[in-house]
């Protein structure tokens, strides 16, 4: 078995992973950066709305909005870090160093937009392609940095720990310690061991364990599942945020309709054209996402219609194509001209507020294992995330974790062990079964563990998923590992973890909404 040794193994090359790689390399560390696909094939690339750049952090207003969106459950220390450190992270890396093309006014000043739950215009953006503008600039810099070795198409299978993966029997009595991961290189059937002083989980969220999601394909909670298998502490997994507005068309794919459209004046209306948010929240269509998603769900259940609509009547028609080019083009491809037609929308799984528990320097409960970005949970989002905090959190968590790792590695005495060799089983997994099992996981989660949950639905979900996990574990034991099998194994595990967390929490809060059996809507 090939063994590759490095200072930092970063699993996932979205904004969090790529920004960490840049910071760690700058601090003199050797970095291996794994990505499932090409340089911008990541969830961050699909973020439309923007990134918070709060020019008045001392006012306390942003902290207040984050706490309010979270239904007063967010961790104040994590909120403070984001509010105080976020502006510098955006300025130093994105504006000053990389010169990301954020939209500007005629006088050259940055243009600010607004999204749900925000009391002020404090979000900068690059039309409705903000994630792409940011990630492509960061990924370009990564490619120009020789100290960062990219492994494109490489899939992390399992973490290596002293308790599970060495031949020294005494190692298991040491504190739970991570020293890298087994990785399947692109196009290979033979895993390699990547042995690292620091292993960083930056695999994004878990939206694709649900049938309908805004996430990049393959985002199924890889980090959460791997961390669970080695015994890391996980937290808040019941809080899966549903984005209220995803395009709905009978035979069309679901794609994000950025909340910034509502920030600029679009209004949610029912099939009769009546706004239904005014009576429900003082911010109406710009209420926090959990409230809007549930209101849409209820409206659809009451009307029997498959969607609600976004009425863009208050926006300047002539500006729509320029300001929201991706929404404009994609809607047009599916027969909706947003200059004249309302957009049919439904909610879809969007963001995992919970994840692998970390402190404010990315440390998990397992020594030398970090988590950053959406994979991690510092408690910043509590039960429901405020819009446009996610890209910002990627930057701040990457920066503080890389800095702490550089300090740690400089003082480190930990001698990297030899991993026990991987043994490949003889059989091939049947792709039809693998594909079908993933559908089963996604449908089960959508129907029984989605926007509105009940104890009975969760019990049903758990039974189905436990049985599926048994089957999937047997594939995994008997068959050669493939990227599809890794995805399925992690998806079913992440799904069970979400269901388990939801079952243990009888209190509706933020994105976790649970009803008793008699009143299920
Ligand atoms: C959006 O543009 O609506 C998504 C932004 C976010 O999730 O923060």
């Amino acid at each position: 078995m090939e063994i590759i040794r490095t200072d930092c193994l970063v699993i996932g090359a979205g904004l969090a992973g790529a920004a960490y790689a840049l910071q760690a390399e700058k601090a003199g560390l050797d970095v291996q950066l794994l990505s499932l696909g090409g340089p911008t094939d990541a969830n961050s690339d699909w973020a439309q709305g923007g990134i918070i750049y709060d020019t008045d952090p001392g006012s306390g207003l942003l902290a207040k909005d984050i706490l309010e969106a979270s239904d007063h459950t967010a961790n104040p220390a994590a909120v403070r870090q984001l509010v105080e450190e976020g502006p510098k992270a955006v300025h130093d890396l994105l504006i000053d160093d990389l010169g990301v093309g954020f939209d500007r006014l005629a006088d050259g000043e940055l243009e600010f937009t607004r999204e749900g739950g925000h009391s002020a215009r404090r979000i900068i953006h690059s039309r409705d392609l903000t994630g792409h503008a940011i990630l492509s600039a960061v990924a370009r810099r990564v490619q120009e940095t020789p100290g960062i070795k990219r492994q494109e198409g490489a899939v992390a299978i399992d973490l290596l720990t002293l308790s599970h993966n060495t031949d020294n029997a005494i190692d298991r009595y040491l504190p739970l310690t991570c020293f890298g991961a087994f990785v399947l290189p692109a196009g290979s059937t033979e895993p390699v061991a990547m042995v690292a002083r620091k292993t960083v989980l930056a695999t994004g969220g878990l939206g694709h364990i649900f049938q309908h999601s805004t996430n990049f394909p393959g985002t199924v909670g890889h980090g959460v599942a791997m961390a669970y298998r080695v015994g890391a502490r996980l937290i808040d997994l019941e809080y899966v945020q549903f984005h209220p507005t995803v395009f709905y068309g009978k035979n069309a794919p679901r794609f994000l309709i950025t909340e910034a459209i509502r920030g600029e004046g679009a209004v949610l209306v029912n099939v009769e054209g009546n706004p239904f948010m005014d009576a429900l929240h003082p911010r109406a269509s710009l209420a926090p996402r959990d409230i809007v998603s549930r209101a849409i769900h209820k409206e659809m259940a009451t009307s029997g219609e498959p969607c609600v609509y976004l009425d863009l009547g208050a926006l300047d028609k002539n500006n729509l194509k320029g300001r929201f080019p991706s929404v404009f083009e994609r809607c047009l491809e599916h027969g909706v001209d947003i200059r004249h037609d309302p957009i049919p929308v439904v909610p879809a799984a969007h963001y995992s507020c919970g994840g692998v528990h970390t402190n404010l320097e990315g440390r998990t409960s397992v020594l030398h294992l970090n988590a950053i970005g959406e994979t991690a949970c510092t408690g910043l989002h509590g039960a429901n995330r405020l819009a446009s905090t996610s890209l910002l959190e990627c930057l701040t968590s990457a920066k503080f974790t890389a800095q702490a790792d550089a300090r740690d590695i400089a003082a480190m005495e930990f001698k990297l062990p030899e991993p026990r060799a991987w043994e490949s089983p003889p059989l091939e997994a049947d792709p039809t079964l693998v594909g079908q099992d993933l559908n089963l996981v996604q449908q089960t989660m959508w129907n029984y563990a989605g926007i509105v949950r009940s104890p009975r639905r969760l019990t049903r979900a758990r039974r189905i998923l436990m049985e599926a996990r048994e089957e999937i574990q047997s594939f995994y034991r008997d068959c050669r590992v493939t990227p599809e099998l890794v995805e399925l194994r992690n998806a079913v595990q992440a799904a069970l973890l979400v269901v388990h967390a939801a079952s243990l929490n009888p209190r509706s809060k933020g994105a976790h909404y649970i009803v008793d059996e008699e009143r299920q809507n």
Side-chain angles (χ1 to χ4, degrees):
M1 179 183 63
E2 190 189 354
I3 300 178
I4 297 169
R5 291 171 193 276
T6 185
D7 289 328
C8 307
L9 170 62
V10 188
I11 304 174
L15 183 58
Y20 172 96
L22 288 179
Q23 293 278 351
E25 194 276 343
K26 209 158 141 194
L29 303 178
D30 168 65
V31 180
Q32 292 276 348
L33 178 62
L34 310 189
S35 64
L36 284 179
T40 58
D41 287 342
N43 229 3
S44 320
D45 192 70
W46 284 14
Q48 294 182 357
I51 181 166
I52 293 170
Y53 185 44
D54 186 21
T55 50
D56 189 13
S59 71
L61 289 176
L62 174 57
K64 189 164 171 277
D65 288 350
I66 294 174
L67 287 167
E68 263 175 34
S70 77
D71 210 353
H72 300 278
T73 58
N75 173 3
V79 175
R80 203 172 317 118
Q81 184 191 50
L82 187 92
V83 170
E84 289 174 4
E85 303 292 342
K88 186 166 158 49
V90 173
H91 178 268
D92 290 358
L93 182 66
L94 303 186
I95 299 178
D96 206 30
D97 187 2
L98 298 175
V100 173
F102 292 113
D103 286 7
R104 291 181 181 267
L105 300 166
D107 62 5
E109 293 296 318
L110 287 164
E111 180 182 273
F112 290 89
T113 189
R114 216 181 141 170
E115 290 187 49
H118 284 270
S119 59
R121 284 184 171 265
R122 55 166 83 95
I123 297 166
I124 54 173
H125 62 96
S126 182
R127 296 175 298 156
D128 61 356
L129 295 157
T130 311
H132 181 68
I134 293 175
L135 187 60
S136 36
V138 174
R140 210 172 305 122
R141 176 61 57 83
V142 165
Q143 272 173 323
E144 293 160 3
T145 307
I148 303 173
K149 282 141 207 118
R150 287 191 57 104
Q151 304 278 349
E152 291 188 7
V155 179
I157 304 167
D158 264 321
L159 297 169
L160 298 168
T161 74
L162 291 184
S163 310
H164 303 91
N165 304 100
T166 75
D167 283 324
N168 183 351
I170 307 304
D171 278 351
R172 70 185 190 282
Y173 299 116
L174 296 170
L176 187 51
T177 303
C178 180
F179 65 98
F182 281 125
V183 173
L184 190 62
S188 168
T189 54
E190 275 311 313
V192 301
M194 290 195 146
V195 172
R197 292 178 189 283
K198 295 285 178 183
T199 304
V200 185
L201 295 170
T203 60
L206 45 71
H208 272 288
I209 63 173
F210 292 86
Q211 190 179 7
H212 301 296
S213 164
T214 61
N215 288 189
F216 198 84
T219 314
V220 294
H222 290 287
V224 162
M226 281 189 278
Y228 169 78
R229 286 197 290 270
V230 299
R233 181 181 174 201
L234 308 174
I235 186 170
D236 286 356
L237 283 170
E238 66 273 42
Y239 301 121
V240 177
Q241 179 175 73
F242 285 74
H243 195 289
T245 57
V246 169
F247 184 85
Y248 172 80
K250 235 178 173 175
N251 297 313
R254 309 246 165 137
F255 54 88
L256 185 66
I257 305 293
T258 176
E259 202 162 272
I261 289 201
R262 277 176 282 138
E264 298 300 333
V267 172
L268 281 161
V269 297
N270 61 19
V271 67
E272 275 119 31
N274 299 321
F276 54 86
M277 285 306 301
D278 297 14
L280 300 177
H281 194 275
R283 291 202 183 124
S285 290
L286 278 176
R289 288 181 179 163
D290 56 330
I291 295 171
V292 182
S293 291
R294 275 197 298 280
I296 295 175
H297 186 272
K298 187 156 185 220
E299 191 62 40
M300 285 160 52
T302 315
S303 68
E305 295 292 326
C307 62
V308 296
Y309 294 87
L310 260 181
D311 180 341
L312 278 61
L315 280 76
D316 177 2
K317 280 186 188 24
N318 301 320
N319 197 22
L320 286 176
K321 192 173 171 187
R323 171 65 180 86
F324 298 108
S326 111
V327 169
F328 180 89
E329 290 301 339
R330 296 210 68 191
C331 287
L332 204 57
E333 274 170 32
H334 298 284
V336 175
D337 182 342
I338 68 170
R339 287 170 299 193
H340 311 289
D341 308 322
I343 309 177
V345 290
V346 288
H350 185 58
Y351 191 89
S352 175
C353 299
V356 184
H357 179 263
T358 71
N359 68 7
L360 301 183
E361 292 181 333
R363 268 77 182 115
T364 70
S365 59
V366 177
L367 267 178
H368 305 312
L369 176 65
N370 299 322
I372 53 177
E374 189 174 346
T375 311
C377 179
T378 59
L380 169 65
H381 310 297
N384 179 55
R385 179 174 71 86
L386 179 70
S388 280
T389 47
S390 57
L391 295 175
L392 188 58
E393 185 188 21
C394 287
L395 293 184
T396 52
S397 63
K399 177 174 160 182
F400 281 92
T401 304
Q403 285 174 350
D405 283 353
R407 283 196 307 272
D408 255 24
I409 286 176
M412 208 163 176
E413 284 174 9
F414 173 45
K415 190 174 163 298
L416 289 171
E418 285 296 309
R420 196 181 302 139
W422 175 276
E423 280 165 30
S424 282
L427 303 178
E428 302 282 331
D430 177 345
T432 308
L433 293 181
V434 171
Q436 179 52 35
D437 280 355
L438 188 59
N439 284 339
L440 176 73
V441 171
Q442 292 166 329
Q443 280 172 13
T444 302
M445 291 304 286
W446 185 255
N447 292 327
Y448 301 139
I451 298 173
V452 176
R453 298 160 173 169
S454 76
R456 198 182 294 160
R457 289 179 197 178
L458 291 170
T459 303
R460 173 83 64 91
R462 187 208 292 258
R463 259 191 230 127
I464 295 169
L465 294 169
M466 292 283 276
E467 199 181 319
R469 186 175 63 175
E470 279 303 304
E471 285 291 316
I472 293 162
Q473 285 295 70
S474 74
F475 284 154
Y476 185 75
R477 257 193 323 271
D478 302 339
C479 301
R480 292 182 92 81
V481 70
T482 63
E484 293 75 18
L485 196 49
V486 172
E487 178 179 343
L488 176 61
R489 176 176 178 243
N490 288 338
V492 75
Q493 186 58 67
L496 267 164
L497 289 165
V498 170
V499 167
H500 185 63
S503 310
L504 289 180
N505 186 350
R507 285 180 59 215
S508 291
K509 200 73 172 156
H512 172 57
Y513 188 70
I514 186 154
V515 295
D516 63 38
E517 318 293 350
E518 280 73 48
R519 299 171 38 250
Q520 288 192 350
N521 286 316

